[in-house]
Structures are given as structure tokens and as C-alpha cells.
Amino acid sequence: MAAKPETTFIAGVHKKLPKTLYHMKNNNAYVGGIADVWYSGNSGDLWVEYKYLPRTPSRAGIDPMRLLSPLQQAWLRDRRMENRNVAVIIGCPDGGIVLTDRQWELELTVKQFAERLRSKEELANWIVSRVS
């Protein structure tokens, strides 16, 4: 069975991470909403929920909340309220964007998405900067 595009995107980001950076994919059939990946380093933890768009937005804006399930929305909101380091990364064929500090609750125009777009290497560097 072929990997899903989101899984392939995450793997592409992870290939750019240092091999020494600890990360764990979360998949729990009994607890819904947990962020996809937990990263751990000397400076702390980072929890990232990944989403993937098959095309880079070019005509219509994007509402990240429509990509997140209600359980994911609640989990991210509650962990952020606890001052945890959480983010949503929305990937697409051209790279991805990082949303922190509940920015995933705001709609983005095509221009805003394009301005925030980062390569997989830049996304990996951002992850490292948050936990190392």
C-alpha cells in the first residue's frame, strides 16, 4: 500500500532533521486529537499536527480549522492554554507553512499562505530551533 501524501510529506521534513533529534509519531486509537508528532530536545518539547493539501493554494484562501477535526482543535487549544509548545504545519507540493499561537484559528488568504511558505529544510530548521 502506498504511503498517504501527508505521511510522505512528514517523512520529507524528517529527512532534513538531525539524526540526534528525538521525535515520535503519535497514533492512539483510544485517545483522539493528539498531535501527529512529538519532538523533544534540550530546550523542550514541540507537538505538531500536520495537514497536507494536494495543491498549493492559488485561487482561494484556506481555513485551517476546516482541516482539523473537532478533537484536534480541542487538543491543540487546550495544550496551548497550558503553555505547551504546539503548532500546525500545513504542507503542500511547494513546501509548508507553520501556524503557532492559535494562528490555525484564522483564515489565510492565498497571499498570506504564499508569504509564509517554507521549504521542507526550512521547516526542519524551525523544528530544531524550537527544541534545541
Side-chain angles (χ1 to χ4, degrees), residues 5-129:
E6 182 178 296
T7 302
T8 302
F9 178 79
I10 295 169
V13 172
H14 286 177
K15 283 182 184 178
K16 306 292 185 184
L17 293 172
K19 300 222 183 296
T20 56
L21 181 66
Y22 182 83
H23 59 279
M24 181 175 74
K25 176 101 170 93
N26 298 304
N27 184 9
N28 188 327
Y30 301 103
V31 180
I34 296 174
D36 289 323
V37 182
W38 168 52
Y39 301 92
S40 178
N42 292 330
S43 294
D45 296 327
L46 171 64
W47 299 82
V48 176
E49 178 62 36
Y50 283 91
K51 294 298 175 188
Y52 188 78
L53 302 173
R55 289 184 247 20
T56 304
S58 62
R59 292 188 179 157
I62 181 166
D63 181 358
M65 292 292 276
R66 294 187 69 173
L67 302 175
L68 299 167
S69 74
L71 286 173
Q72 291 168 334
Q73 293 173 27
W75 193 93
L76 289 163
R77 181 194 61 240
D78 293 349
R79 300 300 76 76
R80 181 65 191 107
M81 297 290 283
E82 296 170 346
N83 292 316
R84 307 254 184 232
N85 198 10
V86 297
V88 173
I89 293 180
I90 302 174
C92 64
D94 296 325
I97 67 167
V98 177
L99 302 172
T100 60
D101 300 320
R102 297 178 67 178
Q103 293 171 340
W104 54 83
E105 296 176 355
L106 305 173
E107 293 186 30
L108 296 165
T109 65
V110 170
K111 181 180 178 193
Q112 289 169 323
F113 192 95
E115 290 171 349
R116 291 174 176 239
L117 197 59
R118 301 176 184 197
S119 68
K120 289 177 185 171
E121 184 170 2
E122 290 171 314
L123 294 171
N125 290 340
W126 179 84
I127 292 166
V128 170
S129 76

